[in-house]
Amino acid sequence: MSPSELVAEIRSHDFDYYLDELMDNVSDDVDKREGSIIYDALAPAATVLAEEAITLANTIEFIYTQTSTGEFLDYRAVERGTSRIAATKTQVKATAIDRNNLPVTNIQIGDRFASIGDEPIFYTVIKVTDDIKTQLSSPQTIADKGGATFSAMATDVTAPIIILEAEELGTRPNGYKGQILPVSYNDVLSYAEITEITVPARDSESDDDLRTRLLSPDTYNAYGGNIADYVDMLDRIEEVGAGQI
C-alpha cells in the first residue's frame, strides 16, 4: 500500500464508519436508533475517533516531501541543506515639492507615506541624500507670505533623493508608481510622488516551487559555480529583486 492509498483509507474512516464499528459491538437486543441511550453514549466517541483519523492522515502527508506543506515542508528543506526563499520588500525613489514647486528638504529617515487607493501601500523613508543639485531651466512661479506671486529663475536647487521601503513583503508594491500621501506630519510638503522602482521585491517561494527544488537535488545543491550556486549568491543580495542566469 502506497502512502497516498494509506491516507485515502484513513480519511474514509469518518464518523459513520466509527459509529458503525462501535455499534457492531453492541448486542442486537439493545435499542441502537438515533436518540437512544447507547447511540448518545457512542456518538461522541465516534466523533473524536473521526477527528483523530483526520489528524493521522495529515501527519502522514507531512512526513513526505511530495505531500508536505507550509512549515512542515520548511523542516524538510532544512534537513536537505536548504530553505524557502523569503519574500523581500520593494524600495522606491520619490520626489517631494512644496507649494512653490521647490524640493522639500525636511523629510527625515523614518517618515511614513502611503499610496492612494482603497488598499494603500505604506512606505518608510530609509535614506535621504541631500547633496544632489539640479538646474531649474524654466521660470518658477513663487508666492511670498503676503500672497503675491512672481516669476523667477532658480539655479542649483538642492533636490533630495528620497528612498522609501514598502512596509509589506511581496511584489504588490512593485506595480505602484505615482502620488503618495504623507502619514507623518509635514507642514511644508505639498506633493510627493514615487518616480522609480529601484529594488523590486519578490514573493516568498511557494510550496510547489520549494517542493520542486527539493525533489530535484541538482537544482538546489550549490557548489562549484553551478547554476544553483549563482542563484544562491543572488538570493543573498537583498537589493536584487530578480536575476537571469
Side-chain angles (χ1 to χ4, degrees), residues 26-204:
V26 177
S27 175
D28 290 337
D29 59 359
V30 176
D31 185 3
K32 302 180 183 180
R33 292 174 298 178
E34 184 174 351
S36 65
I37 295 176
I38 193 63
Y39 183 96
D40 290 344
L42 295 180
T47 299
V48 172
L49 290 170
E51 291 174 348
E52 289 300 317
I54 294 174
T55 300
L56 178 59
N58 291 338
T59 301
I60 293 174
E61 287 185 333
F62 291 148
I63 292 174
Y64 299 98
T65 302
Q66 291 91 328
T67 52
S68 186
T69 59
E71 189 174 355
F72 291 91
L73 186 58
D74 290 339
Y75 279 106
R76 302 300 297 173
V78 172
E79 291 174 357
R80 301 192 180 198
T82 186
S83 61
R84 188 187 301 270
I85 298 174
T88 59
K89 295 180 179 180
T90 303
Q91 292 184 15
V92 300
K93 183 184 295 185
T95 59
I97 57 175
D98 61 18
R99 64 191 183 95
N100 295 319
N101 290 328
L102 295 175
V104 174
T105 59
N106 68 340
I107 293 177
Q108 304 294 321
I109 293 175
D111 286 352
R112 301 178 69 221
F113 290 82
S115 65
I116 58 176
D118 295 334
E119 297 181 357
I121 302 168
F122 291 91
Y123 300 86
T124 301
V125 177
I126 61 172
K127 183 178 180 181
V128 179
T129 303
D130 58 5
D131 58 353
I132 304 299
K133 294 183 180 295
T134 183
Q135 185 81 18
L136 298 183
S137 58
S138 59
Q140 303 295 309
T141 300
I142 301 176
D144 61 18
K145 293 183 178 179
T149 61
F150 58 93
S151 180
M153 292 291 292
T155 60
D156 291 338
V157 176
T158 300
I161 294 178
I162 306 166
I163 303 298
L164 303 99
E165 183 177 72
E167 296 181 0
E168 66 180 68
L169 293 166
T171 57
R172 187 170 80 100
N174 289 354
Y176 185 83
K177 287 198 297 184
Q179 183 180 3
I180 49 177
L181 303 176
V183 176
S184 304
Y185 177 73
N186 191 316
D187 60 353
V188 177
L189 179 66
S190 175
Y191 180 83
E193 178 182 15
I194 292 175
T195 59
E196 181 182 347
I197 308 296
T198 55
V199 180
R202 62 170 178 256
D203 289 322
S204 176

Side-chain angles (χ1 to χ4, degrees), residues 7-18:
V7 168
E9 180 178 347
I10 293 174
R11 290 191 187 281
S12 68
H13 295 174
D14 55 10
F15 170 81
D16 292 332
Y17 170 85
Y18 283 110

